[in-house]
Amino acid sequence: MLPNAGSDAPPEAVTPLMRGITVLLRLTEAGGVSSLSGLEKATGLARSTVDRITSTLARRGYVRLDGRDAVLAPRLMELGNAYLAALRLPGLLDAHADALADELDESVSLAVGDRDGIRFIHQATRRRAMSLSFRIGDLLPAERTAPGSLFATEWDEPEWARWRTRREADPEGRGFPAVPPRSGAYDAFEERVASAAARGWALDDQLIEPGLVAVSVPVRDLGVGAGAGRVACVASVVSHTSRHTAGSLREVLLPRLRATVDVMERVLRDAPSPAGKPVAPSGLAAWTGASKQELGREFVESLARGLTVITSFGEGRAELTLTDVAQATGLARATARRALITLEHLGYVESYGRVFRLTPRVLGLGFPPLSMLPLSEIAAPHLTALSARLYESASLAVLVGDEIQYVARAATARILSANVTVGARLPASATSLGRVMLAGLPERAADDLAGALDLVRRDGYALVDGELEEGLRSVAVPVREGGGRVVAAVNVAMHSSRRTAEECVRDVLPELRDTVALIEADLHVAGRFRRVPAG
């Protein structure tokens, strides 16, 4: 069933865009992977429609088609990134949340309200046997969270009426797949809201599930604009009952949380207003034209256009007029208008007079499962494609002290091939992977590798021939995060009889660099508002 679609859809609504968003929602609910037949069943759409939508999403780079499965791809996170960039809160407040998590050795989160629910926009989690599994973009019912009580203090009567209608229709909260259903979830919510309004903070004493406790404080906009004094987001410290009771949360953690929120509010107050950044046309018309010519009926042009409208928003572009959107995307005004009407109908855009802005619901389009992807999974399909093209083994490794550790690998079926496994460690100095990562570190005192590392810095790659093992030849290229720091490396390894060193540079290196460019592009999107773990 289409989200909010049907007889209530405005006549200008773009049906292919609604159908495409439905497919993305079902894929998100499935954890990011679903068979095409499963999508047909979950959406109620014809199989031919599902095929056309997934082909279009794959062309856009939002979905990867793997046999009979559709898999959400990291580039889809650019939709959620557009909302987070326009919101500005993560960029301004994340570091303070992370510092508090380090100080308390507890998980700290930031959340925003989404109608009668909340969504997380940042998570600083602790690695423990008992750890939290909430993801950025997850939607939780307001009544089962401490932040929800704080957001509800600002609800008007229509918002309360909407909550009561939902409560009656879904008494166990089954419409929120991020949390387990629970009877009695609505008990005393109004009383908890009144208490939160009086105290200025809220407590979650195992509302979501047994053992989970949290204390939350609102971060208010202290500016002078229309939103002055309202809750911009809610900061929470989250723990479990083996570490804290509700009482100790209040007594031990609440004072430190309040102190951090005071800092956050000053940051918001003092942050300069972002200057509106003009956006050049995205080249969408040329891209969709070429895609339509190549894919024919399998390319749904109106779906691609509609999703591009979301990415026209961002930092300095939180509120856009119809003209702004048309100019940013290169779309005709009439086309941009229909896309905005459709997105507003579905709840992804809201309008105020002549301006539009994104809503937190945009985070529901693939962001939760994709926000958990480590670098090893981001790189895996690219390594597989590289290995298939070269018919050689390809690997991704990170630097751990003076060693490299393999975190992803695509092996060939050759009888004679490089034999390493994920998790294995080798001396960094003797491997091409290690040398490109060592070369990315601040220069150290001269040693036996100084000359070799200078060459790696100059050339941008390392070639190691028989130093780790006789007959083993490999070439590696560094992987850089958005800021330019080397975070990993990719190599291709082979027996020296198959390619000379010159052939490696001529034939393998360009393929290797192209692959790393694809990995870096995905990493830069996936890591814009979160830390991407290695594996």
Side-chain angles (χ1 to χ4, degrees):
M1 185 171 64
L2 301 178
N4 295 334
S7 59
D8 65 331
E12 301 97 329
V14 183
T15 300
L17 176 56
M18 291 193 290
R19 289 172 173 166
I21 286 176
T22 299
V23 169
L24 287 175
L25 289 173
R26 299 294 90 83
L27 267 171
T28 302
E29 292 169 1
V33 182
S34 175
S35 66
L36 296 177
S37 59
L39 285 175
E40 177 186 4
K41 182 181 297 184
T43 61
L45 299 171
R47 175 58 184 269
S48 59
T49 301
V50 170
D51 288 344
R52 293 180 66 215
I53 288 171
T54 53
S55 293
T56 302
L57 294 172
R59 179 72 173 187
R60 187 67 184 166
Y62 290 167
V63 161
R64 177 169 53 85
L65 297 177
D66 185 2
R68 290 178 290 182
D69 290 340
V71 183
L72 294 181
R75 187 179 173 185
L76 178 62
M77 295 178 73
E78 71 180 16
L79 302 182
N81 285 347
Y83 166 74
L84 293 173
L87 185 67
R88 297 184 70 209
L89 294 178
L92 293 172
L93 305 182
D94 283 5
H96 300 285
D98 293 346
L100 181 62
D102 291 339
E103 176 188 342
L104 301 178
D105 195 25
E106 299 289 355
S107 296
V108 174
S109 65
L110 300 176
V112 294
D114 185 357
R115 295 170 67 92
D116 58 351
I118 71 157
R119 288 189 193 270
F120 295 107
I121 59 171
H122 181 68
Q123 290 277 15
T125 57
R126 304 291 91 183
R127 287 184 173 269
R128 295 197 181 99
M130 290 288 293
S131 60
L132 305 178
S133 60
F134 294 134
R135 306 165 299 184
I136 298 175
D138 268 336
L139 178 66
L140 277 66
E143 65 276 3
R144 290 181 61 182
T145 68
S149 296
L150 293 164
F151 287 118
T153 63
E154 297 183 339
W155 286 358
D156 57 20
E157 185 49 42
E159 289 171 311
W160 276 106
R162 180 172 59 209
W163 175 80
R164 293 186 184 102
T165 299
R166 192 256 294 167
R167 174 191 65 185
E168 294 171 2
D170 185 13
E172 294 185 342
R174 293 183 179 274
F176 296 84
V179 295
R182 183 177 179 183
S183 59
Y186 306 96
D187 294 348
F189 181 51
E190 291 94 335
E191 289 82 354
R192 293 199 301 273
V193 173
S195 176
R199 297 185 300 188
W201 55 273
L203 195 67
D204 170 1
D205 189 0
Q206 306 181 77
L207 291 170
I208 293 178
E209 64 177 37
L212 185 66
V213 291
V215 62
S216 301
V217 173
V219 181
R220 296 187 181 276
D221 182 352
L222 301 182
V224 296
R230 293 185 62 84
V231 178
C233 66
V234 170
S236 304
V237 179
V238 187
S239 189
H240 50 78
T241 51
S242 63
R243 293 176 60 84
H244 282 283
T245 64
S248 68
L249 279 181
R250 181 177 61 250
E251 296 168 7
V252 178
L253 303 186
L254 179 59
R256 287 300 308 126
L257 176 58
R258 277 178 157 164
T260 296
V261 166
D262 287 344
V263 174
M264 289 179 173
E265 290 180 338
R266 290 197 297 271
V267 168
L268 294 185
R269 181 194 63 197
D270 298 337
S273 299
K277 299 177 181 178
V279 181
S282 62
L284 178 66
W287 180 82
T288 54
S291 299
K292 189 70 174 178
Q293 184 174 7
E294 180 176 336
L295 299 180
R297 288 190 68 257
E298 295 305 303
F299 183 76
V300 185
E301 194 169 10
S302 55
L303 169 58
R305 288 171 168 172
L307 294 177
T308 300
V309 166
I310 294 176
T311 63
S312 65
F313 294 83
E315 187 172 359
R317 306 190 305 277
E319 295 184 340
L320 299 178
T321 65
L322 171 59
T323 298
D324 294 333
V325 172
Q327 290 177 345
T329 58
L331 294 172
R333 279 175 56 90
T335 302
R337 177 177 174 273
R338 291 190 66 201
L340 286 167
I341 288 172
T342 306
L343 293 169
E344 185 172 21
H345 168 64
L346 298 177
Y348 297 100
V349 164
E350 55 190 2
S351 60
Y352 297 87
R354 296 177 57 249
V355 301
F356 298 85
R357 67 185 184 194
L358 299 179
T359 73
R361 185 172 291 190
V362 172
L363 291 174
L365 297 177
F367 213 92
L370 290 172
S371 70
M372 303 296 287
L373 283 182
L375 177 56
S376 56
E377 292 186 28
I378 291 173
H382 301 299
L383 296 180
T384 299
L386 175 64
S387 178
R389 289 196 302 273
L390 296 177
Y391 202 42
E392 302 287 1
S393 297
S395 302
L396 174 81
V398 295
L399 191 64
V400 181
D402 292 328
E403 296 180 317
I404 64 164
Q405 181 173 17
Y406 289 87
V407 294
R409 180 166 167 77
T412 68
R414 286 184 180 273
I415 296 175
L416 184 62
S417 61
N419 184 24
V420 295
T421 57
V422 171
R425 293 193 181 194
L426 293 172
S429 60
T431 64
S432 61
L433 289 162
R435 289 185 183 180
V436 292
M437 289 188 280
L438 290 173
L441 297 176
E443 292 193 32
R444 302 181 295 182
D447 55 27
D448 293 341
L449 276 181
L453 296 184
D454 285 342
L455 290 176
V456 172
R457 294 187 191 97
R458 184 196 69 187
D459 299 334
Y461 72 92
L463 191 148
V464 171
D465 193 357
E467 295 187 35
L468 181 68
E469 182 176 329
E470 187 175 352
L472 180 63
R473 179 174 291 145
S474 66
V475 58
V477 171
V479 177
R480 300 178 186 274
E481 63 178 6
R485 183 173 67 94
V486 175
V487 294
V490 174
N491 85 339
V492 172
M494 69 208 76
H495 191 270
S496 57
S497 63
R498 292 206 287 270
R499 285 184 173 91
T500 65
E502 291 75 15
E503 288 171 334
C504 285
V505 173
R506 185 192 67 200
D507 302 331
V508 176
L509 182 59
E511 294 277 0
L512 186 55
R513 283 177 163 157
D514 288 346
T515 296
V516 167
L518 294 173
I519 293 172
E520 288 179 339
D522 284 349
L523 177 61
H524 297 171
V525 174
R528 185 174 179 187
F529 290 104
R530 71 177 185 108
R531 295 176 181 173
V532 179

